[in-house]
Amino acid sequence: MLTVKKLADLLGLSPEVIRHYTHIGILKPVVNSGNNYKYYDEQDLLYLANIRVNRSLGLSLPQAQDFQSSSVKKQRNLLAERSQQLSAEIEKLRKLQKRLTEVETFLAQAEMCTMEGVVKDVRRDPIHSVYTFGLKKPHTDRLAIVQQWSKLFPFVHFSIKLPKEELNLKGRTLLS
Protein backbone atom coordinates (compact mmCIF):
# COMPACT_ATOMS: atom_id res chain seq x y z
CA MET A 1 0.00 0.00 0.00
CA LEU A 2 1.20 3.49 -0.90
CA THR A 3 0.70 6.75 0.98
CA VAL A 4 -0.15 9.99 -0.80
CA LYS A 5 3.49 11.10 -0.59
CA LYS A 6 4.88 7.79 -1.85
CA LEU A 7 2.42 7.68 -4.79
CA ALA A 8 3.23 11.30 -5.66
CA ASP A 9 6.98 10.61 -5.52
CA LEU A 10 6.69 7.55 -7.77
CA LEU A 11 4.79 9.53 -10.42
CA GLY A 12 6.70 12.79 -10.11
CA LEU A 13 3.63 14.65 -8.90
CA SER A 14 2.93 16.82 -5.90
CA PRO A 15 0.85 15.32 -3.08
CA GLU A 16 -1.73 18.08 -3.80
CA VAL A 17 -2.40 16.56 -7.23
CA ILE A 18 -3.01 13.14 -5.67
CA ARG A 19 -5.34 14.73 -3.11
CA HIS A 20 -7.17 16.63 -5.87
CA TYR A 21 -7.65 13.47 -7.95
CA THR A 22 -8.90 11.72 -4.82
CA HIS A 23 -11.26 14.59 -3.99
CA ILE A 24 -12.85 14.58 -7.47
CA GLY A 25 -13.21 10.79 -7.41
CA ILE A 26 -10.59 9.68 -9.91
CA LEU A 27 -8.75 7.75 -7.21
CA LYS A 28 -10.52 5.81 -4.49
CA PRO A 29 -8.04 4.99 -1.76
CA VAL A 30 -8.55 2.75 1.23
CA VAL A 31 -8.87 4.88 4.36
CA ASN A 32 -7.40 3.60 7.63
CA SER A 33 -10.06 4.24 10.27
CA GLY A 34 -7.45 4.38 13.04
CA ASN A 35 -5.35 7.26 11.71
CA ASN A 36 -7.48 8.46 8.75
CA TYR A 37 -4.55 7.97 6.33
CA LYS A 38 -5.35 7.22 2.73
CA TYR A 39 -3.60 4.29 1.07
CA TYR A 40 -3.36 3.53 -2.63
CA ASP A 41 -2.56 0.26 -4.33
CA GLU A 42 -0.61 -0.66 -7.47
CA GLN A 43 -3.76 -0.39 -9.60
CA ASP A 44 -4.13 3.24 -8.52
CA LEU A 45 -0.49 3.78 -9.46
CA LEU A 46 -0.99 2.26 -12.95
CA TYR A 47 -4.29 4.05 -13.51
CA LEU A 48 -2.82 7.42 -12.58
CA ALA A 49 0.31 6.78 -14.67
CA ASN A 50 -1.94 6.07 -17.69
CA ILE A 51 -3.98 9.21 -16.99
CA ARG A 52 -0.73 11.22 -17.01
CA VAL A 53 0.30 9.69 -20.34
CA ASN A 54 -3.10 10.55 -21.81
CA ARG A 55 -2.87 14.10 -20.44
CA SER A 56 0.55 14.45 -22.08
CA LEU A 57 -1.21 13.80 -25.42
CA GLY A 58 -3.28 16.92 -24.81
CA LEU A 59 -6.43 15.14 -23.68
CA SER A 60 -8.51 16.89 -21.05
CA LEU A 61 -8.91 15.11 -17.73
CA PRO A 62 -12.42 13.85 -18.60
CA GLN A 63 -11.15 12.69 -22.01
CA ALA A 64 -8.20 10.94 -20.36
CA GLN A 65 -10.57 9.14 -18.02
CA ASP A 66 -12.88 8.21 -20.89
CA PHE A 67 -9.86 6.97 -22.83
CA GLN A 68 -8.93 4.65 -19.95
CA SER A 69 -12.30 2.93 -19.91
CA SER A 70 -12.88 2.78 -23.67
CA SER A 71 -12.40 0.06 -26.22
CA VAL A 72 -9.33 0.12 -28.44
CA LYS A 73 -11.50 1.32 -31.34
CA LYS A 74 -12.84 4.24 -29.32
CA GLN A 75 -9.32 5.03 -28.07
CA ARG A 76 -8.10 5.21 -31.66
CA ASN A 77 -11.03 7.48 -32.55
CA LEU A 78 -10.24 9.78 -29.61
CA LEU A 79 -6.61 10.00 -30.72
CA ALA A 80 -7.65 10.66 -34.34
CA GLU A 81 -9.91 13.51 -33.15
CA ARG A 82 -7.06 14.94 -31.09
CA SER A 83 -4.75 14.71 -34.10
CA GLN A 84 -7.28 16.63 -36.23
CA GLN A 85 -7.55 19.30 -33.52
CA LEU A 86 -3.77 19.64 -33.43
CA SER A 87 -3.60 19.93 -37.22
CA ALA A 88 -6.14 22.76 -37.14
CA GLU A 89 -4.24 24.51 -34.34
CA ILE A 90 -0.94 24.11 -36.21
CA GLU A 91 -2.46 25.60 -39.39
CA LYS A 92 -3.84 28.53 -37.41
CA LEU A 93 -0.42 29.10 -35.81
CA ARG A 94 1.31 28.91 -39.21
CA LYS A 95 -0.99 31.61 -40.55
CA LEU A 96 -0.33 33.74 -37.50
CA GLN A 97 3.42 33.24 -37.87
CA LYS A 98 3.23 34.26 -41.54
CA ARG A 99 1.32 37.44 -40.61
CA LEU A 100 3.85 38.26 -37.89
CA THR A 101 6.69 37.84 -40.37
CA GLU A 102 4.93 40.15 -42.87
CA VAL A 103 4.43 42.86 -40.26
CA GLU A 104 8.01 42.44 -39.01
CA THR A 105 9.29 42.87 -42.59
CA PHE A 106 7.24 46.04 -43.06
CA LEU A 107 8.51 47.45 -39.76
CA ALA A 108 12.10 46.72 -40.75
CA GLN A 109 11.54 48.58 -44.03
CA ALA A 110 9.94 51.49 -42.20
CA GLU A 111 12.84 51.63 -39.78
CA MET A 112 15.33 51.69 -42.66
CA CYS A 113 13.39 54.46 -44.37
CA THR A 114 13.20 56.54 -41.19
CA MET A 115 16.89 56.06 -40.45
CA GLU A 116 17.84 57.15 -43.99
CA GLY A 117 15.57 60.19 -43.74
CA VAL A 118 14.01 59.84 -47.17
CA VAL A 119 10.66 58.94 -48.59
CA LYS A 120 10.56 55.39 -49.85
CA ASP A 121 7.81 53.29 -51.28
CA VAL A 122 8.34 49.63 -50.52
CA ARG A 123 6.16 47.76 -52.97
CA ARG A 124 4.38 44.52 -52.15
CA ASP A 125 0.99 43.43 -53.40
CA PRO A 126 -1.02 46.42 -54.69
CA ILE A 127 -2.26 47.26 -51.19
CA HIS A 128 1.14 46.63 -49.53
CA SER A 129 3.17 49.81 -49.24
CA VAL A 130 5.13 51.49 -46.53
CA TYR A 131 5.65 55.22 -46.92
CA THR A 132 7.96 56.98 -44.54
CA PHE A 133 9.36 60.41 -44.19
CA GLY A 134 12.12 61.58 -41.87
CA LEU A 135 13.23 65.16 -41.43
CA LYS A 136 16.53 64.41 -39.69
CA LYS A 137 18.77 63.64 -42.69
CA PRO A 138 17.10 64.30 -46.04
CA HIS A 139 19.23 63.62 -49.06
CA THR A 140 20.03 66.90 -50.78
CA ASP A 141 19.67 65.48 -54.28
CA ARG A 142 16.07 64.55 -53.51
CA LEU A 143 15.23 67.57 -51.39
CA ALA A 144 12.49 68.84 -53.72
CA ILE A 145 10.72 65.46 -53.66
CA VAL A 146 11.11 65.20 -49.90
CA GLN A 147 9.70 68.71 -49.41
CA GLN A 148 6.75 67.97 -51.66
CA TRP A 149 5.99 64.74 -49.84
CA SER A 150 6.44 66.35 -46.42
CA LYS A 151 3.54 68.69 -47.16
CA LEU A 152 1.30 65.74 -47.96
CA PHE A 153 2.65 63.03 -45.65
CA PRO A 154 4.55 64.41 -42.64
CA PHE A 155 4.25 61.09 -40.83
CA VAL A 156 4.96 57.39 -41.10
CA HIS A 157 2.20 55.47 -42.81
CA PHE A 158 1.72 51.72 -42.97
CA SER A 159 -0.69 49.99 -45.28
CA ILE A 160 -0.79 46.21 -44.93
CA LYS A 161 -3.01 43.47 -46.22
CA LEU A 162 -5.46 42.14 -43.63
CA PRO A 163 -7.30 38.85 -44.01
CA LYS A 164 -10.98 39.45 -44.77
CA GLU A 165 -12.05 37.83 -41.50
CA GLU A 166 -10.05 40.40 -39.52
CA LEU A 167 -12.03 43.23 -41.13
CA ASN A 168 -15.37 41.88 -39.91
CA LEU A 169 -16.93 44.08 -37.23
CA LYS A 170 -20.27 42.83 -35.86
CA GLY A 171 -21.42 41.55 -39.22
CA ARG A 172 -20.15 44.62 -41.10
CA THR A 173 -16.82 45.05 -42.76
CA LEU A 174 -14.65 48.13 -42.70
CA LEU A 175 -15.18 48.37 -46.44
CA SER A 176 -19.00 48.54 -46.28
Side-chain angles (χ1 to χ4, degrees), residues 15 25-26 29 31 40 43 62 65 68 88 111 117 127 149:
I26 291 176
V31 179
Y40 303 86
Q43 269 194 305
Q65 287 177 273
Q68 289 293 102
E111 185 176 48
I127 64 170
W149 273 70

Side-chain angles (χ1 to χ4, degrees), residues 106-122 130-143 146 156:
F106 296 139
L107 291 174
Q109 290 292 332
E111 185 176 48
M112 280 182 8
C113 295
T114 303
M115 290 171 62
E116 292 175 16
V118 297
V119 175
K120 283 193 176 182
D121 183 3
V122 181
V130 179
Y131 300 96
T132 64
F133 173 71
L135 292 175
K136 292 183 182 174
K137 303 185 299 183
H139 290 226
T140 55
D141 60 331
R142 297 186 185 154
L143 189 55
V146 171
V156 176

Side-chain angles (χ1 to χ4, degrees), residues 74-104:
K74 187 168 181 184
Q75 287 177 341
R76 290 185 67 208
N77 287 340
L78 284 169
L79 292 179
E81 285 175 24
R82 181 64 185 139
S83 182
Q84 288 174 347
Q85 289 171 348
L86 286 174
S87 293
E89 289 174 34
I90 288 168
E91 183 58 31
K92 186 176 178 180
L93 289 172
R94 281 190 180 128
K95 286 179 181 179
L96 177 60
Q97 186 177 36
K98 182 180 177 192
R99 294 265 299 119
L100 288 171
T101 301
E102 285 178 353
V103 172
E104 186 179 34

